[in-house]
Amino acid sequence: FWADKVASMSGGDARDWYWVAQCMYRSRQFHRAAILIRNKGLDKTQPLCQWLAGLCLLEAKQHNDALLILSNDEEVMGTNRTTTVVVATNFVIPPIGSHCILEGFTPKTLQSALLLLKGRVYEKLDNRTRAAECFKNALKHDVYCYEAFNSLVKHQMLSSSEEKELLMSLPFKEQCGENDLLPAVYEILLNKYQNLPQTPIPALPHPRLVDNLDLEAARAERLYYACAYRQCFSLTQDILKKDPYHTTCLPIHISCLVELKDVTKLFSLAHDLVDLMCDKAVSWFAVGCYYFLIGKRDPARRYLGKATLLDPLFAPAWLAYGHSFAVENEHDQAMAAYFSATKLMKGCHLPLLYIGLECGLTNNIRLAERFFREAQTIAPHDPFVIHEMGIIAYQNHDYNMAEKHFLTALAHVHEINQVIIAEKWEPLLNNLGHTCRKLNKYDDALRYHQQALVISPQNASTVSCIGFIMALQNNFSEAVVMFHKALGLRRDDSFSITMLSYVIEQLMESTPPFQGAPDTVPGFDSVPTPPSPNLEESLQTPIVLDDGRQLFEAFTPSSSPPSFEIEMQDCFQDENTS
């Protein structure tokens, strides 16, 4: 009210009209503020008013109109209100002269604010490439513009190499000086894909920053991408004790709970988040992860879909949404969700890894290898990616290359977990055992399968693999024992049933009938047979009974005693009647 009266009495000073529009913006009258600035023509002459009008239209969700205000006439090639097609050619910021009002800004910071706002508009219009360029230019104009830096990092717009190039290109010396802490802090926040044990964390510029929660969350993210889930969970738990709703830490903590399958804690966390932050995507992401973990896929998809509606740029929800289809072998729907995550997470290797997995499950080996290589360029030290590359080499019958990939992945796993290997790596050890068996390295194969059995004792497949290698080593008696154990764990294991029959036959042929039996049966000398008596005379010989009577039994040559089969039938009949 009073700002409007002051603007009228001052004769229409630009500064006064700016504060009238600012009051309207703060009272959430976005359309009214933008129309006021346009009617006064201040969006053409005053960059600060141009920024405020664009901010109002962004809040009013009129993204196309916001870009029209923030862009020059030469930049906009064509617009359509129904299809929202906006094409820009360059990132020209109007010059800020001495006549321009600043109101707390400097010329550099105002240019940075305009670029930041323009990047946010491009992001809403799904033009993430130009949004990333705007954010990078905003950082170059003002290295203290953390909003631009956070947009690049949080939404993972840059790959690891692009992040390093950005840090090298920022003018820290010109804007910060020699002893400023900003370069070191940015390096810590970006350094998530380096090899965990070999690359030390950059030294903190101030000793009291050790307990800073943002830096601790960055370290937790680094541990998560290095597959050190228990260490990551311990760190995120400490962070959430100090700040229970730390926005950067919550998605990492929820992902750790899913990896560790801690259903109780995930349920409690999801319940609290929905009660306190029902309008945030991370709350429904936690609910969807809980239902996914307990095996209820339909509710999981419903809540994860709600998370993507609340924040279409929340990439973890897209990944979990794809997982809910992948576990049910619905490959097309899973790949669609992963491709959506790929657009949102250019600097993350996980969507590419999951797309490659789905391609491999559909027997598209070449396409799977292509996605795995792209994922490896982003995260060269990730054991999952290296493991999948080994599987591709194994399927291509290149066993030497497969063994090389598997050993490299196992070395990275041992670097992360030097004492105990998680159960998640049981397939890696078994695949390494299969590869060594193909290369006729039976002792190494047996050792890797036994290591896999240690971390996953109830796996029938691992037990049958051990029995198979023992059979190949002609250790049939122990192979029989292992196949019996495998069938005890899984009765319908066709491979164990077939191999058990084969091994028992081999054991019967190779085992002597008694201890100390010779390998060969000794020969016997032929004994001459005595001459047989006359058959007719023997048949007519009288038989004298006890009472003195004589009995003649006459057998014709065609008569014979009952056969053995008939006797056995009589025995079975007697048993049935008795």
Side-chain angles (χ1 to χ4, degrees), residues 154-155 247 250-251 254 281-286 304 307-308 310-319 344-345:
K154 181 181 178 181
H155 299 155
T247 55
L250 278 173
I254 294 169
V282 67
S283 303
W284 300 106
F285 170 66
L304 291 170
T308 58
L310 288 173
D311 186 3
L313 302 179
F314 191 64
W318 286 106
L319 288 179
L344 303 177
M345 304 172 71

Side-chain angles (χ1 to χ4, degrees), residues 478-498:
E478 294 187 12
V480 169
V481 174
M482 298 309 294
F483 285 126
H484 276 299
K485 287 183 179 180
L487 290 173
L489 294 172
R490 189 170 64 197
R491 298 179 60 184
D492 58 345
D493 188 358
S494 58
F495 175 76
S496 296
I497 295 172
T498 305

Side-chain angles (χ1 to χ4, degrees), residues 350-419:
L350 293 177
L352 296 171
L353 173 64
Y354 296 139
I355 293 172
L357 285 172
E358 295 301 316
C359 291
L361 291 174
T362 56
N363 294 324
N364 197 339
I365 305 300
R366 291 186 178 181
L367 192 59
E369 185 177 6
R370 174 185 169 188
F371 283 110
F372 289 146
R373 291 191 182 280
E374 290 184 9
Q376 197 171 21
T377 57
I378 298 175
H381 303 293
D382 186 80
F384 290 105
V385 180
I386 302 173
H387 178 219
E388 295 302 328
M389 292 295 294
I391 293 176
I392 293 297
Y394 184 91
Q395 292 176 340
N396 292 331
H397 305 287
D398 189 356
Y399 301 119
N400 290 314
M401 182 59 67
E403 184 185 21
K404 179 181 177 182
H405 285 306
F406 289 144
L407 288 175
T408 304
L410 186 61
H412 287 299
V413 172
H414 280 298
E415 289 174 356
I416 298 166
N417 305 289
Q418 298 180 358
V419 181

Side-chain angles (χ1 to χ4, degrees), residues 12 14 56 186 194 221 230 295 303 405 485 511 568:
C56 290
Y186 279 179
Q194 301 303 317
E221 185 180 13
R230 293 200 175 275
Y303 290 116
H405 285 306
K485 287 183 179 180
T511 305
M568 293 300 296

Side-chain angles (χ1 to χ4, degrees), residues 491-508:
R491 298 179 60 184
D492 58 345
D493 188 358
S494 58
F495 175 76
S496 296
I497 295 172
T498 305
M499 286 302 303
L500 181 61
S501 302
Y502 173 78
V503 171
I504 288 177
E505 291 178 1
Q506 296 297 318
L507 188 63
M508 291 172 59

